[in-house]
Amino acid sequence: MGLGCWLAAVWLLQADALSPVPLVPLEPSLVGDFEVLQGQETAATAQPFFVLPGKIGPQMVTEALAEVKALEMDDHNDEADWLPAYEVYIMEHGQMLPGLAGPGLQDAVRALDEQVLPFVRQAYRCETCITCTAFVRRYLQAERVRVPPHFDITAYATVILPLSPSGNYSGGFFVQPGAVHDFTLNHGIEVLTGGRFSLVLWVSERPSACRTSSTPWHAERAIQGDAVAQHILGMMFSQGNGAPQDDNKALEWTVRAAEAGLVNAQFSAGTMYFDGSGTTTDYNRSFFWYEQAASQGDASAQIVVARMYEEGRG
C-alpha cells in the first residue's frame, strides 16, 4: 500500500474515533469594547478564537437558512481533503455575486459585516481588514460530515455563523460551534448526527489583497519567522494556490516550519521526503520528520512511523 493510501486510512480511522467531539473551554473575556467568550487551541502557535453570542437575531438566521436550503450546492473538490465541498460562494472580492443570495442571506452577511468585522479589527489589530469572501456550506449524513484539520489559507480571519438550530445536529466546528478565528487556527469539522448549514465569511487583511485574491500576510510573517505562516506558505507553493507552484520552495518553507517545531509541518516534511516532492526520495529524512511529529503526539505520524518500522524504511 502506498503512503497516500495509508494516510487516507489514517484519516478514516481517526474520524471514526471522534465521537463525541470535545468542546474547548470558553472563558468570558473583554476584547476592546466587546464582551466575548474566548478559547485557545492546544497548539502554542495558535492565536485565541472567540465566540460572540447574540450578535445575529434568530429571525434573520431562520430567513437565511430557508434561502440557503433552496440553493443548488456546488460539489467541487475542497482543498482540505479533495472531496466534494457542497458549498456556494455568494461574495467574492468584497462584492455580492448576482443571482445567488436572496434578501435574507444578504441581510445576514451585512449584519456580520457591521457587527462582527469591528471586533475582528480590534481582536487581530487589523484596522484595514475587510469582508472579502462569503459562502454557505452544507453538511448532511448522506453527503459530507467531516473536514480534516486544516488552515484557512486564503483568509486572514474567518467568521462562522451556524444557521441550523443546535438541536438539529451534534458536533460541528472542532473547537466550538460558531466562532471567529484567524489563519493560525488548525481546525476541522465533524458533524456527528443530523445536518448543518453554515454561513462563512473570509476576511482579508487589506482591500488591495481582497481585490487581487492575494494573501501577502503569509509571506510577510514567514520571513519574520512565524512558523504557521511558513507552513502555510509552503502549502501555497505546493498547491499553486496564492503562489506559483514550486515544489522546491514548498519544501524549503515546510522544513523551516518543521524546524521551528510545528507538528503539522513536521508531518508534511515527512511526506514530502517520502514522495520526493521538491527533492529526491529520502526515507531517512522522511522517517526523521515523521518521528518528530509522532513524538509530539500526532496520531497519523505515529501510524506512519510504525508502518515504516514494519517495512524497514528509514
Side-chain angles (χ1 to χ4, degrees):
M1 181 187 294
L3 183 63
C5 294
W6 296 357
L7 300 184
V10 165
W11 164 240
L12 290 173
L13 288 170
Q14 288 183 321
D16 289 340
L18 287 173
S19 179
V21 175
L23 298 181
V24 173
L26 297 174
E27 299 292 338
S29 179
L30 185 64
V31 178
D33 304 325
F34 295 86
E35 294 182 359
V36 300
L37 299 174
Q38 178 174 319
Q40 180 71 50
E41 194 239 342
T42 54
T45 52
Q47 295 294 315
F49 68 91
F50 305 94
V51 174
L52 284 71
K55 288 296 181 184
I56 307 298
Q59 182 62 34
M60 183 177 293
V61 170
T62 299
E63 292 174 1
L65 175 61
E67 293 179 3
V68 169
K69 287 183 175 180
L71 290 174
E72 182 176 349
M73 295 288 172
D74 192 336
D75 61 357
H76 64 267
N77 289 344
D78 191 324
E79 292 175 352
D81 55 8
W82 303 107
L83 294 176
Y86 299 104
E87 62 188 15
V88 176
Y89 283 78
I90 59 175
M91 171 190 278
E92 291 182 346
H93 306 295
Q95 301 294 322
M96 298 296 294
L97 298 177
L100 292 175
L105 197 50
Q106 291 185 44
D107 286 346
V109 171
R110 190 178 303 112
L112 287 173
D113 187 70
E114 293 174 353
Q115 299 187 44
V116 181
L117 184 62
F119 167 78
V120 171
R121 288 172 172 165
Q122 287 194 31
Y124 299 114
R125 298 178 179 85
C126 177
E127 294 182 358
T128 59
C129 274
I130 66 166
T131 301
C132 185
T133 303
F135 61 95
V136 294
R137 181 172 280 176
R138 179 177 71 199
Y139 298 94
L140 296 177
Q141 297 298 312
E143 296 177 346
R144 187 191 204 200
V145 293
R146 302 181 179 104
V147 182
H150 63 283
F151 297 100
D152 287 344
I153 292 178
T154 56
Y156 184 79
T158 300
V159 178
I160 305 116
L161 176 65
L163 299 175
S164 302
S166 59
N168 285 22
Y169 63 92
S170 60
F173 188 34
F174 278 176
V175 290
Q176 189 72 29
V180 176
H181 66 85
D182 78 345
F183 65 88
T184 66
L185 186 69
N186 188 30
H187 64 287
I189 298 293
E190 170 80 352
V191 177
L192 301 175
T193 61
R196 172 175 165 164
F197 293 81
S198 299
L199 170 62
V200 181
L201 304 188
W202 280 345
V203 176
S204 185
E205 189 185 32
R206 62 196 76 156
S208 60
C210 176
R211 288 194 301 269
T212 58
S213 299
S214 59
T215 56
W217 53 90
H218 294 314
E220 292 166 0
R221 286 160 177 75
I223 292 170
Q224 295 169 4
D226 185 305
V228 173
Q230 290 170 343
H231 181 41
I232 292 175
L233 189 58
M235 289 189 289
M236 291 167 62
F237 279 119
S238 177
Q239 300 170 3
N241 180 13
Q245 203 285 326
D246 189 323
D247 288 339
N248 293 327
K249 288 185 177 180
L251 179 64
E252 174 190 347
W253 285 107
T254 301
V255 169
R256 286 197 193 188
E259 290 173 342
L262 189 65
V263 65
N264 309 77
Q266 291 171 345
F267 188 92
S268 295
T271 302
M272 296 173 84
Y273 279 114
F274 192 101
D275 291 340
S277 179
T279 182
T280 57
T281 296
D282 188 328
Y283 292 133
N284 290 329
R285 289 188 178 183
S286 174
F287 182 83
F288 171 80
W289 285 119
Y290 279 134
E291 193 171 44
Q292 292 295 306
S295 69
Q296 294 200 62
D298 187 283
S300 299
Q302 291 167 352
I303 293 173
V304 174
V305 165
R307 186 60 181 265
M308 293 182 75
Y309 268 124
E310 181 184 344
E311 296 192 354
R313 301 196 197 198

